[in-house]
Amino acid sequence: MLWWVAQIMVCMSMLELARKSRRTGLSPIVLALPVALFVLLCLSSDTFRSLENLANVNSQITALMIASLGQGIVAISGGIDLSVGSVMSLTSAILVTADPAWGIPLALAMGVCVGLINGFGVTLFRVHPLVMTLATMTFVQGVALLLHPVPGGVVPGYLRTLAVSQVAGMPAAFFWCTAAILLAWFLLTRSPLGPRIYAVGANPVSAGRNGIAVMRLKVACFVLCSLSAVIAGIFLTARVGAGDATMGAPYSLDTVTAMALGGIQLAGGTGSVLGVVAGVITLGLISNGMNLLGVSPFLRAALTGVLLLMAIGLQRREAIGA
Amino acid sequence: MSALVCAAMMISFDKVSKRFGSNFALRDVSFDCEAGSVHAITGENGAGKSTLMNLLAGLFPVDGGEIRLHGKQLSPKSPADARSLGISTIYQELTLLPNLTIAENLFLGREPVRLGRIDRSGMREQARSMMARLGSGMDIDTYCGNLSVADQHLVEIAKGVSADADIFIFDEPTAALNAPEVEKLGELLASLKAQGKLVFYVSHRLDEIFRFCDRVTVLKDGRHVETRETRALTRDGLVSLMVGRVLSKFFPARPARSEAAPVALSVRDLQVQEGGPAVSFDVERGEIVGLAGLEGQGQRDIIRALSGLEPSASGMVIKSGEAGSAPLAFDVTKTVRSGVGFVPEDRKTEGLYLSLSIDRNITLGMLRRLNVWQLVPRRHDVIAELMRRLNIRSAGARQEVGELSGGNQQKVMIGRWLAAGIDVLLLEEPTRGVDVGAKAEIYELLREFTKGGGAVLTLSSELLELLGLCDRILVVRQNEIVAELDGAQATEEEVMRHALVGRADNGVHVDA
Ligand SMILES: Nc1ncnc2c1ncn2[C@@H]1O[C@H](COP(=O)(O)OP(=O)(O)OP(=O)(O)O)[C@@H](O)[C@H]1O
Ligand SMILES: [Mg+2]
């Protein structure tokens, strides 16, 4: 088994990733980890290999994927957003309490508001993003619980169809994931905003002198992140089929874990969509695999921590910016 | 179009003042500039040159008076605003982003867009021709963080001149460049001038001022001293305007050398890279040794290896001092602990803590011999004395280093090691961005340091500096020391001959 892992790592490093890793943060280990986990799980569990389970993994990680892509954009711009989970929770609460026709627009508007508050707090009032988003996280969580204290309620039927139906033999989750990944990828690598986000993350002062509206860009990143959290919340609520004002709670930190596994540096300026995808898949496989192998939930948490440390320890950390 | 630009466009500064806290960085500065000319701004470190230019660049607003363009008030609100008003700035401190490629940096904030996406191929093509205009064939897809400081300045210049602007500001663009690149820049300035643009050229280098510029404005302590045609000035006249006194001697006298001075640093078979050529030389106590040569011939690598920044280096380096002799490890921490100080060429990212105060930056050097549990000494007396000797222009010892003018930052950097009680100093570009008066002061300080038994190894892209300062000059070519010259006798021609000549026969060594 170890031989496999070693083999894959050697192949990856031969891809000469090092040269490009300056900005993408993609080290061989980032990409090898999900592949190695996948191979390992295939070999050790028959159930894992079944198409059914793979579709299941896909839909399990979709919410995390969408939220993490938003987190990734904020991280590359040099921030961090801990309110992601609460925004998902509040989205869920809104969807089951509001009029079905208004649920989604309301949730999106809420996302824009939270993003604006985070963004202005960080830029205009110079609160550290960690503190700022911790505050909104707590506040938004409170609002969600006020709005919808007991889990339950009815999710609009069309949403349920959008989240759990199958299209051409593929689970709908697959299309949600793909769309989100493509959007984020376009934004970071094809649109003119891409280089600017990287620039602001690496050095906001220099970026400003290059004529970039640093404040506006940072605010926009926070808004995008909150919006992606809203969409992740919509998907999750639809998949679960009921509203729950705490359903997003674990996502605040899970998205950050995915950043670490994906080589996205919280100092800003380094990271890539491929990294986010790799990080999310790694995290998803760990939890699905341990579930299948019958590892107890407590041990699971501890093992995830150890794996995270190992993965980060193996990454080549290169300070950027100044 | 030419009719428009030929109409003598004029910028006039009218009693412009700028305050930082309670300090005036500029006070009632008034002068005019003409279109189609290159206007030099010069003066000592901290005189307010960059501040004046930054007002034009939109970094901060004017506090008093006004700037007029064609008689209309000009007040750019942000760098982006200034750019749209037709003002392009090349800042004194690098503004390239390390994680973007050259092409991306050149077009940052004004990317060519087609159908909502960056037109990559068009952008790269234009980037290539922009770099080619400066005579540089750099790969435009490399990340700027991987470039040398000189190359980064070239990219910075390319970025500045490619803007569609009427006013161009060059804030000490040549501080990191060497002769051929400066020539190219001269041509660029001439062509901008021919197109009827107004160019501000901030520099400490007198020869460039006289060669490139039509008029020169001298600032001192935030006040306007003079604006004159360069033709009507002599070198000494300009220096005395800047310094306020006549500089009698620029370089300190070289003390007579006794034959048997003890060796401070003995370098044997130093290989910067495995398989590369090996160099051997000694630096004696009381001696200033300079590494000369063309840019990128390996001088920098040698100094970096000695300072412990190239972990892959190999060879035998023995450092002898009061505490006895010991081999140097290729490790920064150990090198500093054994009494070797290093001043990097890029002080902003490699040397200083910009957000810490002056006294803290200096104190950092003194910490090297303390253990973690010992209290940090507050040596106000030492720091005050040092700041006085270095003539650091500041609002006080508690001012953040990031707020100091470029030249004063350099003095803090050197001051740190002088306070640290080290006995070997490795200096890259000891006076980059430093004004003439302060240069003389730094040379004097280095001399004093060696008189006290210290040894200095330095490199500089200004050959005249090495010739004036050093006791001995080692000429480096293709990572090898090809000549050793007596600093007092060496001439520019001699050094250049060794640095250039014999490339053909040298090829044999390189291939081996
Ligand atoms: N952001 C700032 N905050 C506080 N003080 C500042 C700031 N910028 C500049 N100063 C002060 O204003 C004065 C003028 O600085 P400036 O950078 O204009 O000097 P300079 O003429 O460009 O010098 P140099 O040749 O060293 O670059 C200095 O005393 C400096 O400490
Ligand atoms: Mg300056």
Side-chain angles (χ1 to χ4, degrees), chain B residues 412-445:
Chain B
V412 172
M413 189 75 229
I414 291 179
R416 172 194 297 165
W417 293 122
L418 295 182
I422 47 129
D423 45 19
V424 174
L425 199 50
L426 306 171
L427 293 163
E428 285 178 357
E429 307 291 348
T431 61
R432 166 166 299 168
V434 171
D435 70 56
V436 272
K439 266 186 186 170
E441 285 158 19
I442 288 180
Y443 299 146
E444 193 62 52
L445 277 166

Side-chain angles (χ1 to χ4, degrees), chain A residues 19-24 186 188-196 198-213 268-270 318 320-322, chain B residues 54 59 79-80 83 91-101 104-105 108-111 113 115-120 139 141-143 145-146 156 159 348-349:
Chain A
R19 204 181 67 85
K20 290 195 83 183
S21 72
R22 175 133 204 144
R23 170 158 97 202
T24 58
F186 181 85
L188 284 180
T189 66
R190 290 294 177 269
S191 86
L193 283 183
R196 299 183 194 182
Y198 279 98
V200 167
N203 187 337
V205 175
S206 294
R209 291 189 174 191
N210 281 293
I212 289 173
T270 306
E318 198 176 282
I320 231 179
Chain B
N54 290 344
L59 281 198
R83 205 191 253 183
Y91 293 94
Q92 180 171 13
E93 309 295 337
L94 288 165
T95 62
L96 297 181
L97 280 308
N99 59 343
L100 302 190
T101 63
E104 285 169 335
N105 262 300
L108 187 58
R110 49 187 170 124
E111 302 84 358
V113 174
L115 302 174
R117 18 183 312 182
I118 300 180
D119 175 13
R120 291 248 168 213
D139 175 11
D141 293 323
T142 39
Y143 288 110
N146 297 339
E156 199 84 55
K159 187 173 75 181
K348 199 174 97 173
T349 60

Side-chain angles (χ1 to χ4, degrees), chain A residues 95 100 103-104 155-165 176 233-235 237-239:
Chain A
L95 285 181
I104 290 181
V155 179
Y158 66 94
L159 265 185
R160 190 118 183 95
T161 322
L162 274 178
V164 296
S165 55
W176 285 69
I234 293 174
F235 176 83
T237 311
R239 192 172 89 86

Side-chain angles (χ1 to χ4, degrees), chain B residues 46 49-51 92 171-172 202 204 405-407:
Chain B
K49 306 178 294 292
S50 297
T51 306
Q92 180 171 13
D171 197 346
E172 297 195 32
V202 180
H204 293 295
S405 75

Side-chain angles (χ1 to χ4, degrees), chain B residues 112-265:
Chain B
V113 174
R114 211 196 297 151
L115 302 174
R117 18 183 312 182
I118 300 180
D119 175 13
R120 291 248 168 213
S121 56
M123 179 167 111
R124 295 176 65 243
E125 202 171 297
Q126 284 183 54
R128 215 172 279 126
S129 73
M130 278 153 71
M131 292 311 294
R133 259 179 84 191
L134 280 170
S136 159
M138 272 183 260
D139 175 11
I140 50 148
D141 293 323
T142 39
Y143 288 110
C144 283
N146 297 339
L147 298 177
S148 73
V149 175
D151 284 348
Q152 294 195 34
H153 272 276
L154 270 185
V155 177
E156 199 84 55
I157 290 171
K159 187 173 75 181
V161 294
S162 66
D164 175 27
D166 300 315
I167 299 169
F168 291 84
I169 299 172
F170 291 78
D171 197 346
E172 297 195 32
T174 53
L177 302 186
N178 55 345
E181 290 147 357
V182 173
E183 280 320 305
K184 272 271 182 266
L185 182 68
E187 290 167 22
L188 264 176
L189 292 177
S191 85
L192 287 175
K193 185 172 130 179
Q195 292 167 44
K197 316 277 187 184
L198 168 58
V199 180
F200 286 103
Y201 192 81
V202 180
S203 182
H204 293 295
R205 296 196 182 172
L206 303 181
D207 51 331
E208 287 168 16
I209 295 180
F210 282 104
R211 266 172 49 212
F212 300 155
C213 305
D214 305 300
R215 305 173 82 200
V216 53
T217 289
V218 179
L219 298 177
K220 186 171 169 60
D221 295 331
R223 291 176 190 276
H224 179 245
V225 178
E226 255 320 332
T227 298
R228 280 202 209 160
E229 303 284 319
T230 45
R231 266 172 292 142
L233 265 173
T234 61
R235 275 181 93 86
D236 290 344
L238 183 56
V239 170
S240 64
L241 281 179
M242 286 164 70
V243 189
R245 64 192 142 95
V246 181
L247 264 191
S248 54
K249 59 181 189 18
F250 199 45
F251 294 105
R254 294 181 178 84
R257 308 269 314 144
S258 58
E259 275 307 308
V263 171
L265 201 62

Side-chain angles (χ1 to χ4, degrees), chain B residues 280-321:
Chain B
S280 302
F281 59 92
D282 289 332
V283 184
E284 289 165 10
R285 294 173 71 176
E287 190 182 38
I288 301 179
V289 176
L291 296 176
L294 302 178
E295 169 86 19
Q297 293 291 304
Q299 308 93 303
R300 190 166 171 272
D301 297 333
I302 293 173
I303 287 207
R304 296 238 147 183
L306 292 177
S307 70
L309 281 169
E310 305 269 357
S312 62
S314 65
M316 189 67 178
V317 181
I318 296 183
K319 180 190 164 286
S320 322

